[in-house]
């Protein structure tokens, strides 16, 4: 089975949920037009299907190697990256001033979904580069932008994110990497781990964005600064110059994403320190890095969508061909006709579409915020922990169901189902664990504004339910979603009155319940649009309605279970003591 990009579904969600037609032509997207969207997506699909997907198995079987201090990527990846860069894909949403296309982020999100579905390991490299570009555009001094951005936007140079250290994972207050002033730059000393694509030979240069502490800076996260540290220090003409004092010292041996070079990096091993340039102001590095992290988190959520789509396609293709047993009411036939196999496939399909809807809605909110629309930034920030946290948990369920549909054949390597399970597992961990995003959602995104933005979203969902209740096809789904909206509203108000400990204990269930509900709302919203356009493409639009109805009836009850568990988080005598746990 070969991955095929679901272009029709993508275009539908971009138009009906992301609102891409509405932002095209408005600053800063003056050069974009709705008429270009199909052609852009079709070209992205060709690269994903014909170039990246055939290399997915190669990265699994022949992962990168560290040879004489240099990472050598999987054979074929360098040529694939050359085609990626020459196609201008690194420049999708970048500023035209530096050679970018200036396209809406929603369009780039659809392309990113394709890269991840076709070859997750490969896709991590350009996605991190895009996040680094956005960070440098937002916070870098003009001189740094002029020196680095054109080469990064063109794809000649790639970018990375360097946060984690052996003693500082999710808690960055423990960062020990040092920055020593030297003239107009700094010398960086320290070690970073888990650096995706920290080294490779696919591009001429690699630009590392590194969190470090200037000597004498305050303790904790208040004393962290952000530095641009290139693998090769550029010459005056912006070509790569001498090798900087940095490099990989090991490649991590991982459960999945074997084709991605995950490096342990050392800065200053030769003693002189790696030359680095301060981005923005001293001691504000973490706030700047949140620009890169939010971009990366949106894209990790899209990784969840892409891998879920791949898993669903693989499961459907296998189930349509595999003959085993006798389906009810039939003399013979493929297992797709067994009711429980059909149930699993429908779970996979509907959850994948819900995750896509959330990611595209978040990207659309980002685009609207850039056009100056009031309230759009708050909606984007509310949806980011959902798009990352919920979507990647969905990917675990969908990947597991893919293996289950395959049965014993899924547990052996030849079908590729096992690789999907392995690759998906990292998504709920990197760029912030599910718990981190749950605490962000219930804390910064809900408690901080007294639940105002979440309440606005739930109010919109209620209005959608009122419209859908008038439809014979969607009345049942509208009732189910409407009831869940009411429960979410009640729970939100209750949590706002509770203490920090209760909110923390309830956070993951609250996030998962809200994610499931928001997915239901957006599927209902898209089903209304499909019903209005039924005559244009009856089969496609009828499928959107059926997916919505299945999700509301069979998946949405998970939200009710999560909301109930969140409400019961503070009940006494349910948590074991340290002694009982053997601590």
């Amino acid at each position: 089975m070969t991955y095929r990009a679901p272009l029709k579904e993508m275009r539908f969600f971009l138009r009906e949920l992301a609102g891409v037609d509405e932002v095209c032509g408005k600053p800063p997207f003056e050069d974009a037009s709705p008429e270009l969207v199909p052609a852009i997506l079709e070209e992205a699909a060709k690269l994903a299907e014909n170039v990246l997907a055939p290399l997915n198995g190669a990265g699994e079987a022949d992962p990168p190697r560290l040879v004489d201090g240099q990472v050598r990527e999987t054979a074929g990846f360098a040529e694939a990256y050359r085609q990626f860069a020459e196609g201008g894909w690194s420049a999708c949403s970048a500023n035209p001033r530096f050679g970018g296309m200036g396209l809406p982020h929603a369009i780039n999100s659809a392309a990113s979904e394709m890269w991840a579905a076709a070859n997750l390991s490969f896709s991590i490299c350009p996605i991190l580069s895009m996040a680094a570009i956005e960070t440098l555009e937002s916070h870098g001094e003009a001189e740094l932008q002029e020196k680095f951005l054109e080469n990064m936007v063109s794809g000649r140079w790639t970018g990375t994110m360097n946060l984690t250290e052996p003693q500082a994972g999710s808690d960055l207050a423990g960062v020990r990497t040092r920055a020593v002033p030297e003239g107009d730059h700094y010398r960086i000393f320290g070690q970073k781990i888990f650096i995706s694509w920290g080294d490779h030979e696919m591009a001429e240069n690699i630009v590392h964005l590194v969190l470090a502490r200037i000597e004498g800076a305050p303790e904790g996260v208040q004393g962290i600064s952000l530095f641009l540290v290139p693998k090769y220090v550029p010459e005056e003409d912006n070509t790569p110059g001498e090798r900087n004092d940095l490099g990989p010292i090991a490649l991590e041996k991982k459960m999945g994403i074997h084709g991605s070079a995950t490096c342990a990096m050392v800065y200053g091993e030769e003693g002189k320190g790696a030359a680095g340039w301060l981005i923005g102001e001293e001691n504000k590095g973490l706030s700047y890095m949140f620009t890169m992290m939010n971009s990366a988190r949106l894209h990790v959520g899209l990784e969840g969508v892409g891998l879920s789509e791949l898993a669903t396609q693989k499961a459907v293709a296998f189930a349509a061909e595999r003959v085993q047993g006798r389906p009810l009411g039939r003399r013979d036939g493929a297992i797709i006709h067994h009711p429980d196999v059909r149930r699993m496939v429908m779970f996979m399909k509907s959850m994948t579409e819900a995750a896509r809807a959330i990611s595209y809605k978040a990207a659309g909110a980002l685009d609207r915020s850039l056009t100056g629309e009031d309230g759009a930034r708050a909606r984007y920030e509310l949806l980011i922990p959902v798009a990352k946290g919920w979507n990647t948990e969905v990917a675990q369920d969908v990947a597991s169901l893919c293996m289950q549909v395959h049965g014993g054949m899924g547990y052996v390597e030849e079908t590729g189902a096992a690789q999907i399970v392995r690759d998906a597992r990292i998504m709920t961990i990197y760029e912030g664990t599910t718990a981190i995003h749950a605490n962000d959602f219930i804390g910064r995104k809900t408690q901080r504004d007294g639940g105002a933005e979440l309440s606005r979203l739930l109010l919109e969902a209620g209005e959608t339910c009122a419209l859908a209740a008038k439809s014979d096809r969607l009345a049942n789904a509208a009732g189910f979603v409407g009831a869940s909206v009411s429960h979410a509203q009640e729970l939100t108000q209750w949590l706002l009155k509770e203490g920090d400990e209760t909110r923390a204990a309830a956070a993951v269930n609250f996030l998962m319940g809200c994610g499931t509900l928001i997915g239901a709302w957006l599927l209902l919203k898209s089903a209304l649009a499909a019903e209005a356009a039924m005559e244009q493409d009856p089969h496609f639009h009828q499928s959107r309605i059926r997916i919505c109805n299945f999700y509301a009836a069979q998946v949405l009850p998970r939200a009710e279970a999560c909301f109930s568990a969140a409400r019961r988080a503070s009940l006494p005598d349910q948590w074991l003591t340290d002694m009982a746990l053997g601590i």
Side-chain angles (χ1 to χ4, degrees), residues 411-478:
Y411 200 68
V412 297
E413 293 296 339
E414 64 188 74
T415 62
Q419 182 185 346
I420 294 175
V421 172
R422 287 195 298 271
D423 286 353
R425 194 62 193 87
I426 187 59
M427 294 176 182
T428 62
I429 299 171
Y430 66 5
E431 300 306 334
T433 64
T434 302
I436 286 174
H437 289 285
N439 282 310
D440 178 46
F441 183 70
I442 203 170
R444 293 186 188 92
K445 306 302 167 58
T446 301
Q447 183 189 4
R448 183 172 290 180
D449 70 352
E453 185 57 34
L454 180 57
S455 294
R456 279 190 285 270
L457 183 148
L458 293 173
L459 181 62
E460 290 177 31
E463 292 170 351
T464 301
C465 292
L467 290 173
K470 301 174 184 177
S471 164
D472 291 340
R473 293 186 179 99
L474 296 169
N476 285 335

Side-chain angles (χ1 to χ4, degrees), residues 45-56 76 79-81 83-84 118-119 122:
K46 290 177 184 177
L47 182 65
E49 296 168 1
N50 301 327
V51 178
L52 301 185
L55 291 170
N56 194 33
E79 172 59 21
Y81 183 78
Q83 294 186 49
F84 185 96
N119 191 325
F122 175 92

Side-chain angles (χ1 to χ4, degrees), residues 306-317:
L307 219 61
S308 294
E309 177 65 36
L310 175 65
T312 301
Q313 290 187 17
K314 190 176 287 290
V316 170

Side-chain angles (χ1 to χ4, degrees), residues 434-443 447 494-496 498-511 565-566 568-570 575:
T434 302
I436 286 174
H437 289 285
N439 282 310
D440 178 46
F441 183 70
I442 203 170
Q447 183 189 4
W494 179 80
L495 285 169
L496 288 171
E498 291 295 307
D500 291 342
E501 189 170 341
T502 296
R503 280 192 291 270
V508 169
N509 277 315
F510 185 60
L511 172 68
R568 297 167 186 170
S570 62
W575 305 100

Side-chain angles (χ1 to χ4, degrees), residues 173-452:
V175 164
R176 295 177 186 166
T177 298
R178 297 182 296 117
V180 180
E182 183 181 276
D184 66 346
H185 60 280
Y186 291 77
R187 290 289 175 179
I188 310 299
F189 299 87
Q191 184 177 340
K192 299 288 184 178
I193 60 172
F194 303 155
I195 309 306
S196 298
W197 289 103
D199 194 61
H200 56 82
E201 296 179 324
M202 298 190 297
E204 297 174 5
N205 203 356
I206 303 172
V207 179
H208 302 286
L209 299 195
V210 182
L211 287 182
R213 197 179 299 279
I214 297 172
E215 292 183 335
E219 294 295 320
V221 295
Q222 293 81 10
I224 296 175
S225 298
L226 181 62
F227 297 88
L228 184 155
V229 190
K231 178 179 179 179
Y232 297 102
V233 179
E235 301 285 4
E236 288 298 322
D237 61 357
N238 288 352
T239 58
E242 68 174 359
R243 177 69 182 259
N244 212 348
D245 185 6
L246 63 89
I249 56 172
L251 284 174
E252 305 292 352
K253 295 180 180 179
K254 311 184 297 294
M255 173 182 174
I257 54 170
H258 293 158
S260 173
T262 307
C263 301
M265 302 288 294
V266 64
Y267 293 82
E269 186 176 35
E270 296 175 2
K272 63 180 180 180
W277 285 263
L278 180 68
I279 294 177
E281 299 179 31
E282 293 182 6
N283 304 328
K284 293 187 177 181
L286 190 58
S287 64
Y288 300 150
M289 187 58 88
F290 266 108
T291 299
M292 187 169 190
M293 287 191 287
N294 276 340
S295 175
R297 287 166 174 176
L298 175 62
H299 286 288
V300 172
L302 288 158
E303 290 176 5
V305 179
L307 219 61
S308 294
E309 177 65 36
L310 175 65
T312 301
Q313 290 187 17
K314 190 176 287 290
V316 170
F318 180 85
E321 294 179 356
R322 176 72 165 171
V323 176
Q324 197 78 186
R326 189 175 69 182
L328 290 172
R330 293 172 178 261
R331 290 188 175 182
D332 53 34
I335 63 171
I336 191 70
H337 300 296
H338 287 290
D340 194 60
V341 174
R342 184 63 64 102
R343 176 194 64 83
M344 288 190 285
V345 167
M346 285 300 300
F347 255 96
M348 297 169 74
K349 182 68 174 174
S350 63
M351 287 195 291
T352 299
E353 292 217 354
R356 179 179 293 121
I358 289 172
S359 285
Y360 287 19
K361 191 70 172 176
L366 174 59
D367 289 332
R368 293 197 308 277
S369 75
L370 295 173
T371 67
E373 181 179 317
D374 289 342
R377 185 73 193 185
R379 179 58 54 87
Y380 167 67
E381 292 181 352
L382 178 73
L383 289 175
I384 280 294
V386 182
K388 198 286 182 184
W390 189 79
N391 285 12
T392 57
E393 291 288 350
V394 163
Q396 311 309 307
D397 289 344
V398 175
S400 179
L401 285 171
C402 176
M403 180 173 284
Q404 192 71 17
V405 169
H406 281 78
M409 294 302 296
Y411 200 68
V412 297
E413 293 296 339
E414 64 188 74
T415 62
Q419 182 185 346
I420 294 175
V421 172
R422 287 195 298 271
D423 286 353
R425 194 62 193 87
I426 187 59
M427 294 176 182
T428 62
I429 299 171
Y430 66 5
E431 300 306 334
T433 64
T434 302
I436 286 174
H437 289 285
N439 282 310
D440 178 46
F441 183 70
I442 203 170
R444 293 186 188 92
K445 306 302 167 58
T446 301
Q447 183 189 4
R448 183 172 290 180
D449 70 352

Side-chain angles (χ1 to χ4, degrees), residues 75-98:
F77 273 41
E79 172 59 21
Y81 183 78
R82 183 190 65 78
Q83 294 186 49
F84 185 96
E86 288 182 355
W89 297 110
S90 299
C92 275
S93 295
N95 192 326
R97 174 187 165 196
F98 303 107

